[in-house]
Amino acid sequence: MKTVLLTGADRGLGLALAREYLARGYTVFAGRFLPEYALLDALHEAHPDRLFPVPLDVSDRQSILEARREVERHADHLDAFVSDAAYMGGPENSRIRGPEPIDPELLCKSVRVNALGALQCVDVFLPLLDRGQEKRLCFISSEVSSVALMQRDGDFRYCMSKTALNIAVRMLHNTLYPRGYSFRLYQPGWMRRQNPDGSLLTRDARQIDPSFSAARAMPLFTGTRPDEERLELVDYLGSIWPF
């Protein structure tokens, strides 16, 4: 049976992707980080033999190592990895406007979660991924990661960390594509936030449902291409972004 590890699967896109992978017959290891969210528990009750919540803080290497041990209790390989865990950060100190405008600790936290976390997960789980058949690595990026299209004057933390993720994925591609790995870099759109009760918070009519973005991602994440040597940033509408 095919297996996948998802990070950041407590809610939103990660949770919706878990449902999509289950629908396609995968065994899903779903990284959980938010104790106030019980949505994964309900999904586990519906699929007790194929959905396994796994405590996982991607900013903590020890947590990643413990997550690998938990996955190894149920599987001897992983076919796919999806990096969805992200730290958005708050609006405070997000623009240049004073003698101490940037909070370096929060900026470092963003990089630890959004870029280094994804890289560490691949590093720790690589022995399991090496034994998989698909060898598919998927990463959730963002429209704000594109240097060529950047128009913002704030939100340094999230923008910088997602751009760093893109570079990390490029370097992973350079290293692992020759070993049979294929890569997906996905821009999921501006999504509605999911509350602990499962409802969606809408701040703007332009926001989309995470389940819609997840459904659009799956052909990309599970399908093959004739040009797998080419790394692209693809959005939920199928458009290719410069990065």
Side-chain angles (χ1 to χ4, degrees):
M1 183 175 289
K2 294 180 180 179
T3 56
V4 60
L5 169 67
L6 292 151
T7 69
D10 301 276
R11 64 182 181 185
L13 181 63
L15 183 66
L17 286 169
R19 292 193 181 103
E20 292 286 344
Y21 274 105
L22 287 169
R24 286 161 175 77
Y26 282 73
T27 293
V28 178
F29 297 97
R32 68 183 318 165
F33 176 72
L34 301 170
E36 67 270 27
Y37 280 79
L39 302 174
L40 268 178
D41 295 320
L43 195 59
H44 173 65
E45 289 177 5
H47 303 275
D49 298 323
R50 291 198 297 118
L51 187 283
F52 299 95
V54 178
L56 177 56
D57 177 356
V58 302
S59 70
D60 183 343
R61 189 174 181 87
Q62 185 59 39
S63 176
I64 300 171
L65 289 167
E66 291 172 1
R68 189 180 106 176
R69 287 191 284 271
E70 178 62 22
V71 170
E72 289 175 329
R73 291 181 57 240
H74 304 281
D76 63 358
H77 73 282
L78 284 172
D79 288 291
F81 166 69
V82 180
S83 174
D84 176 65
Y87 174 67
M88 297 294 294
E92 69 280 2
N93 294 335
S94 63
R95 288 179 171 80
I96 298 293
R97 55 174 146 221
E100 295 179 352
I102 301 299
D103 187 322
E105 290 187 6
L106 290 180
L107 196 153
C108 289
K109 179 178 180 179
S110 293
V111 173
R112 284 198 306 271
V113 174
N114 299 342
L116 183 56
L119 186 60
Q120 286 203 101
C121 282
V122 173
D123 182 42
V124 169
F125 281 95
L126 196 61
L128 291 177
L129 290 161
D130 277 341
R131 292 196 287 269
Q133 294 297 311
E134 288 191 356
K135 292 183 170 59
R136 176 65 51 80
L137 304 180
C138 306
F139 301 86
I140 306 301
S141 187
S142 170
E143 75 277 6
V144 303
S145 71
S146 174
V147 175
L149 300 180
M150 175 55 64
Q151 298 294 322
R152 297 193 184 192
D153 62 355
D155 299 325
F156 284 85
R157 296 193 291 269
Y158 192 66
C159 300
M160 290 174 63
S161 61
K162 283 298 187 178
T163 301
L165 170 67
N166 291 355
I167 292 297
V169 174
R170 166 60 71 187
M171 296 179 72
L172 284 171
H173 181 274
N174 293 347
T175 303
L176 295 177
Y177 173 74
R179 291 169 51 177
Y181 283 83
S182 55
F183 288 75
R184 299 293 185 265
L185 193 57
Y186 183 61
Q187 196 280 89
W190 187 20
M191 291 174 291
R192 299 184 180 105
R193 185 183 182 89
Q194 191 165 36
N195 297 313
D197 65 359
S199 63
L200 296 174
L201 178 64
T202 302
R203 293 187 300 164
D204 190 295
R206 293 170 295 178
Q207 290 177 290
I208 62 175
D209 191 316
S211 63
F212 173 76
S213 185
R216 298 301 296 261
M218 290 311 293
L220 180 70
F221 285 9
T222 60
T224 59
R225 302 184 335 219
D227 57 347
E228 291 288 6
E229 74 282 357
R230 194 156 54 95
L231 181 63
E232 300 174 331
L233 174 58
V234 181
D235 71 11
Y236 67 102
L237 297 177
S239 300
I240 299 173
W241 290 57
F243 72 98

